Amino acid sequence: MTFRALLLTQTDGDKPSTRAEISTLQDDQLPADGDVLVEIDYSTINFKDGLAITGRSPVVRKWPMVAGIDGAGTVLESSNPRWQAGDKVVLNGYGVGETHWGCLAQRARLKGDWLVRLPESLTTRQAMAIGTAGYTAMLSVLALEASGVRPEQGEVLVTGASGGVGTIAIALLGKLGYRVVASTGKTGEADFLKALGAADVIDRAELSAPGKPLQKERWAAAVDAVGSHTLVNAIAQVRYGGVVTACGLAQGMDFPGSVAPFILRGVTLHGIDSVMAPMARREQAWARLAQDLEPDRLAAITQEIGLAEAIEAGQRIIAGGMRGRVVVDVNR
């Protein structure tokens, strides 16, 4: 059997570069260490996928590599006791698309212990409209709730608000009754973000430059998908005892900040890892997404493309030219 996939290869030479192309592959080329063969219906384009496709960051650790850190589809064959043919499953992370062939393909051979059963109320398309971005947003919401952050305590800041994590975080928090303030560089998207659930929208320039270690207290909590100075300023503006989740690095991986907010205001910085999160937490996140994410709001932030368009979409997400979520129909 043959299948189509977005294949990444690395050129030789002093300065290796990444080449991305849609290729036709054989089933026997799939990784031998997977115990479940999945027919993929949909994948998606996350920021990490964009980094892999463009070669802008050393995301890929083995070559050649089929891209795609997310996938949703139907089990075709399984030697894993958790799964049988016909089961609907979702895959996020675990190094797929980095060290193990990914899901921007019509077929993927994966480890059964990586898979989450698709909630009955979600389709495979909706699952990929959510993707790692939405799953990460839900992990952030769960972290805020576990830390005792309640809607009546005040405003919650969401940075990178026009991106995949940001849009779903706004939709979730708004539905749960929080007053959300969205920070974005796309101020023309204010009406769109308010329709998702944001009460107010601010320009990302208010947070993206170096700032003082302690600033005027404003936020009860924050969900940051940007990193660098934006994360540091968000922390500096969080009220006493507030919580910030760090789940992205669109501005940078650096942390040019101070310990002052942690020591003098008791602020908590909660790191969000979506790649290797324990299965129980994954299942909890997907159950809550099925419960708390309104389908019409998810549809409002979703666009669909075919597999052949995924390379260009990866380039656009790195350039900051993408709003919300992109679903990839791998079969067209």
Side-chain angles (χ1 to χ4, degrees), residues 214-219 236-241 265:
L214 289 174
Q215 301 171 31
K216 183 179 179 180
E217 296 181 47
R218 179 170 182 182
W219 321 113
Q237 295 176 12
V238 167
R239 295 177 183 175
Y240 188 91
R265 290 183 181 166

mmCIF file of all heavy atoms in Angstrom, residues 214-219 236-241 265:
data_model
loop_
_atom_site.group_PDB
_atom_site.id
_atom_site.type_symbol
_atom_site.label_atom_id
_atom_site.label_comp_id
_atom_site.label_asym_id
_atom_site.label_seq_id
_atom_site.Cartn_x
_atom_site.Cartn_y
_atom_site.Cartn_z
ATOM 1 N N LEU A 214 8.858 45.042 38.783
ATOM 2 C CA LEU A 214 7.549 45.102 39.409
ATOM 3 C C LEU A 214 6.778 46.260 38.790
ATOM 4 O O LEU A 214 7.259 47.394 38.767
ATOM 5 C CB LEU A 214 7.653 45.295 40.916
ATOM 6 C CG LEU A 214 8.157 44.096 41.727
ATOM 7 C CD1 LEU A 214 8.337 44.492 43.182
ATOM 8 C CD2 LEU A 214 7.202 42.914 41.624
ATOM 9 N N GLN A 215 5.589 45.989 38.289
ATOM 10 C CA GLN A 215 4.768 46.999 37.647
ATOM 11 C C GLN A 215 3.401 47.050 38.330
ATOM 12 O O GLN A 215 3.125 46.283 39.259
ATOM 13 C CB GLN A 215 4.627 46.679 36.156
ATOM 14 C CG GLN A 215 5.977 46.627 35.424
ATOM 15 C CD GLN A 215 5.879 46.111 34.004
ATOM 16 O OE1 GLN A 215 4.876 46.304 33.323
ATOM 17 N NE2 GLN A 215 6.926 45.438 33.536
ATOM 18 N N LYS A 216 2.561 47.967 37.907
ATOM 19 C CA LYS A 216 1.243 48.106 38.510
ATOM 20 C C LYS A 216 0.490 46.777 38.425
ATOM 21 O O LYS A 216 0.404 46.154 37.373
ATOM 22 C CB LYS A 216 0.453 49.195 37.790
ATOM 23 C CG LYS A 216 -0.916 49.456 38.391
ATOM 24 C CD LYS A 216 -1.647 50.566 37.655
ATOM 25 C CE LYS A 216 -3.034 50.792 38.252
ATOM 26 N NZ LYS A 216 -3.760 51.872 37.541
ATOM 27 N N GLU A 217 -0.064 46.344 39.570
ATOM 28 C CA GLU A 217 -0.780 45.073 39.610
ATOM 29 C C GLU A 217 -2.099 45.190 38.842
ATOM 30 O O GLU A 217 -2.892 46.096 39.075
ATOM 31 C CB GLU A 217 -1.063 44.670 41.055
ATOM 32 C CG GLU A 217 0.197 44.414 41.863
ATOM 33 C CD GLU A 217 -0.103 44.002 43.290
ATOM 34 O OE1 GLU A 217 -0.960 43.125 43.488
ATOM 35 O OE2 GLU A 217 0.515 44.576 44.210
ATOM 36 N N ARG A 218 -2.312 44.236 37.912
ATOM 37 C CA ARG A 218 -3.533 44.276 37.120
ATOM 38 C C ARG A 218 -4.219 42.920 36.992
ATOM 39 O O ARG A 218 -5.418 42.816 37.159
ATOM 40 C CB ARG A 218 -3.241 44.824 35.721
ATOM 41 C CG ARG A 218 -4.481 44.873 34.846
ATOM 42 C CD ARG A 218 -4.296 45.611 33.554
ATOM 43 N NE ARG A 218 -5.553 45.641 32.807
ATOM 44 C CZ ARG A 218 -5.697 46.192 31.598
ATOM 45 N NH1 ARG A 218 -4.652 46.765 31.003
ATOM 46 N NH2 ARG A 218 -6.872 46.171 30.989
ATOM 47 N N TRP A 219 -3.449 41.879 36.689
ATOM 48 C CA TRP A 219 -4.059 40.601 36.314
ATOM 49 C C TRP A 219 -4.181 39.653 37.503
ATOM 50 O O TRP A 219 -3.260 39.531 38.308
ATOM 51 C CB TRP A 219 -3.223 39.918 35.222
ATOM 52 C CG TRP A 219 -2.677 40.856 34.192
ATOM 53 C CD1 TRP A 219 -1.366 41.177 33.980
ATOM 54 C CD2 TRP A 219 -3.432 41.597 33.222
ATOM 55 N NE1 TRP A 219 -1.255 42.069 32.947
ATOM 56 C CE2 TRP A 219 -2.505 42.359 32.460
ATOM 57 C CE3 TRP A 219 -4.795 41.705 32.938
ATOM 58 C CZ2 TRP A 219 -2.895 43.191 31.436
ATOM 59 C CZ3 TRP A 219 -5.192 42.544 31.905
ATOM 60 C CH2 TRP A 219 -4.250 43.275 31.168
ATOM 61 N N ALA A 236 5.220 40.588 35.921
ATOM 62 C CA ALA A 236 5.428 41.816 36.687
ATOM 63 C C ALA A 236 4.132 42.565 36.959
ATOM 64 O O ALA A 236 4.073 43.407 37.861
ATOM 65 C CB ALA A 236 6.401 42.731 35.940
ATOM 66 N N GLN A 237 3.079 42.257 36.196
ATOM 67 C CA GLN A 237 1.795 42.947 36.357
ATOM 68 C C GLN A 237 0.741 42.095 37.065
ATOM 69 O O GLN A 237 -0.386 42.557 37.291
ATOM 70 C CB GLN A 237 1.263 43.368 34.986
ATOM 71 C CG GLN A 237 2.123 44.408 34.283
ATOM 72 C CD GLN A 237 1.637 44.727 32.887
ATOM 73 O OE1 GLN A 237 0.548 44.352 32.492
ATOM 74 N NE2 GLN A 237 2.462 45.432 32.118
ATOM 75 N N VAL A 238 1.081 40.871 37.413
ATOM 76 C CA VAL A 238 0.123 39.996 38.081
ATOM 77 C C VAL A 238 -0.022 40.409 39.541
ATOM 78 O O VAL A 238 0.937 40.773 40.214
ATOM 79 C CB VAL A 238 0.564 38.523 37.954
ATOM 80 C CG1 VAL A 238 -0.211 37.621 38.900
ATOM 81 C CG2 VAL A 238 0.371 38.056 36.529
ATOM 82 N N ARG A 239 -1.254 40.341 40.019
ATOM 83 C CA ARG A 239 -1.546 40.711 41.398
ATOM 84 C C ARG A 239 -0.919 39.743 42.397
ATOM 85 O O ARG A 239 -0.512 38.641 42.044
ATOM 86 C CB ARG A 239 -3.063 40.731 41.617
ATOM 87 C CG ARG A 239 -3.798 41.791 40.816
ATOM 88 C CD ARG A 239 -5.289 41.652 41.072
ATOM 89 N NE ARG A 239 -6.044 42.608 40.269
ATOM 90 C CZ ARG A 239 -7.367 42.645 40.220
ATOM 91 N NH1 ARG A 239 -8.074 41.764 40.931
ATOM 92 N NH2 ARG A 239 -7.994 43.537 39.485
ATOM 93 N N TYR A 240 -0.889 40.170 43.649
ATOM 94 C CA TYR A 240 -0.332 39.341 44.716
ATOM 95 C C TYR A 240 -1.016 37.970 44.715
ATOM 96 O O TYR A 240 -2.244 37.860 44.698
ATOM 97 C CB TYR A 240 -0.526 40.011 46.079
ATOM 98 C CG TYR A 240 0.191 39.290 47.186
ATOM 99 C CD1 TYR A 240 1.487 39.640 47.538
ATOM 100 C CD2 TYR A 240 -0.400 38.224 47.856
ATOM 101 C CE1 TYR A 240 2.173 38.962 48.528
ATOM 102 C CE2 TYR A 240 0.266 37.524 48.836
ATOM 103 C CZ TYR A 240 1.556 37.898 49.176
ATOM 104 O OH TYR A 240 2.236 37.210 50.139
ATOM 105 N N GLY A 241 -0.197 36.915 44.712
ATOM 106 C CA GLY A 241 -0.705 35.552 44.756
ATOM 107 C C GLY A 241 -1.240 35.028 43.446
ATOM 108 O O GLY A 241 -1.823 33.939 43.410
ATOM 109 N N ARG A 265 5.582 39.261 45.666
ATOM 110 C CA ARG A 265 4.141 39.177 45.437
ATOM 111 C C ARG A 265 3.610 37.748 45.460
ATOM 112 O O ARG A 265 2.419 37.526 45.265
ATOM 113 C CB ARG A 265 3.773 39.833 44.097
ATOM 114 C CG ARG A 265 3.925 41.348 44.103
ATOM 115 C CD ARG A 265 3.474 41.964 42.788
ATOM 116 N NE ARG A 265 3.642 43.410 42.804
ATOM 117 C CZ ARG A 265 3.589 44.182 41.712
ATOM 118 N NH1 ARG A 265 3.353 43.631 40.517
ATOM 119 N NH2 ARG A 265 3.752 45.480 41.816
#
